[in-house]
């Protein structure tokens, strides 16, 4: 099977995330997409992140009508979880699968600073979501010789200029986010008074 892994803080999950997963699944003919909400993201240790239970509940609400799967593996870990650990976990769970790691262009640019990134490059194919101003050659030039990612697909930006940060800021400012998040997520945010 061809499995797409889509990790993220999802604070909150938004329409861009959902559309991107659907597009990647269709474009790359993946058999499934697994959303993996992060537990204790190492790259956000200096930022305030909404509690795990709320973030997981929003992902579940957003994907209720979707065929996408959700893994709580990272959330259940007590230690910090790195992407290389995540892919190794799924490779062990589904040894026959080929894995596709969905990642934004900004994160892909920073990949050489990630924990055991060379090993990660060998474990999966990268699906990089590029912005209109993304220079693919420039991104790949950051990797030299044996470090060059062996398998990379670039997908066009489908985020419609949506970011979770902007959504949190809009909620805090009392602005409408109805067009930015699934209806069930909007309801959850309002019912629990998140981001105010």
């Amino acid at each position: 099977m061809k499995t797409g892994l889509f990790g993220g803080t999802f604070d909150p999950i938004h329409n861009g995330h959902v559309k991107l997963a659907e597009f990647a699944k269709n474009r790359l003919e993946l058999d499934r997409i697994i959303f993996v909400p992060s537990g204790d993201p190492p790259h956000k240790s200096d930022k305030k992140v909404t509690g795990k239970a709320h973030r997981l509940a929003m992902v579940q609400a957003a994907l209720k009508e979707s065929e996408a799967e959700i893994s709580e593996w990272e959330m259940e870990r007590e230690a910090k979880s790195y992407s290389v650990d995540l892919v190794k976990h799924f490779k062990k769970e589904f040894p026959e699968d080929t894995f596709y790691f969905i990642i934004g262009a900004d994160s892909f640019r920073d990949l050489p600073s990630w924990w055991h990134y060379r090993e990660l490059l060998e474990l999966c194919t990268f699906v990089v979501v590029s912005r209109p101003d993304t220079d693919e050659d420039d991104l790949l030039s950051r990797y030299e010789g044996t470090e060059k990612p062996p398998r990379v697909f670039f997908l066009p930006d489908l985020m419609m200029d949506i970011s979770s940060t902007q959504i949190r800021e809009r909620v805090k400012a009392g602005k409408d986010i109805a067009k930015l998040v699934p209806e069930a997520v909007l309801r959850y945010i309002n019912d629990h008074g998140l981001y105010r």
Side-chain angles (χ1 to χ4, degrees):
M1 288 183 74
K2 294 166 70 175
T3 297
L5 298 176
F6 193 2
T9 313
F10 302 123
D11 191 14
I13 187 170
H14 54 65
N15 290 336
H17 293 132
V18 177
K19 287 184 178 180
L20 171 60
E22 290 171 359
F23 184 80
K25 187 172 188 281
N26 294 331
R27 180 73 175 271
L28 301 173
E29 299 179 341
L30 305 180
D31 295 293
R32 63 180 164 199
I33 295 271
I34 304 176
F35 279 74
V36 189
S38 59
D40 185 10
H43 61 289
K44 296 197 176 181
S45 56
D46 59 336
K47 298 178 183 176
K48 183 182 177 189
V49 177
T50 303
K52 296 177 186 180
H54 284 310
R55 291 186 290 112
L56 176 61
M58 287 188 283
V59 171
Q60 291 169 332
L63 302 176
K64 190 170 185 180
E65 306 298 323
S66 165
E67 293 180 1
E69 301 173 29
I70 304 167
S71 169
E72 298 178 35
W73 181 76
E74 275 206 0
M75 291 198 153
E76 292 170 351
R77 281 172 61 96
E78 293 187 13
K80 284 188 184 298
S81 184
Y82 296 93
S83 295
V84 68
D85 300 325
L86 171 70
V87 178
K88 281 181 172 179
H89 162 75
F90 282 103
K91 273 191 163 292
K92 189 174 181 181
E93 189 169 336
F94 306 111
E96 302 301 317
D97 285 18
T98 302
F99 290 94
Y100 293 75
F101 193 86
I102 301 170
I103 185 174
D106 292 346
S107 295
F108 187 70
R109 181 179 287 111
D110 295 338
L111 196 65
S113 68
W114 288 20
W115 179 259
H116 289 216
Y117 81 96
R118 288 186 183 88
E119 185 178 6
L120 180 61
L121 290 173
E122 296 298 325
L123 292 173
C124 55
T125 295
F126 280 84
V127 180
V128 180
V129 183
S130 53
R131 300 281 184 183
D133 61 346
T134 300
D135 183 335
E136 295 175 11
D137 291 332
D138 177 56
L139 277 182
L140 290 173
S141 71
R142 298 176 62 83
Y143 304 87
E144 297 179 3
T146 56
E147 291 184 8
K148 189 167 183 178
R151 300 168 303 278
V152 180
F153 286 100
F154 286 94
L155 295 181
D157 175 33
L158 295 172
M159 299 303 229
M160 303 173 299
D161 290 328
I162 302 172
S163 80
S164 297
T165 302
Q166 291 168 334
I167 290 170
R168 293 193 302 272
E169 290 171 353
R170 286 185 69 87
V171 172
K172 190 173 182 179
K175 295 181 179 177
D176 184 38
I177 61 165
K179 293 181 179 178
L180 306 179
V181 297
E183 186 179 337
V185 173
L186 176 63
R187 231 177 3 251
Y188 189 93
I189 290 171
N190 289 335
D191 288 350
H192 292 84
L194 299 182
Y195 310 128
R196 304 195 185 287

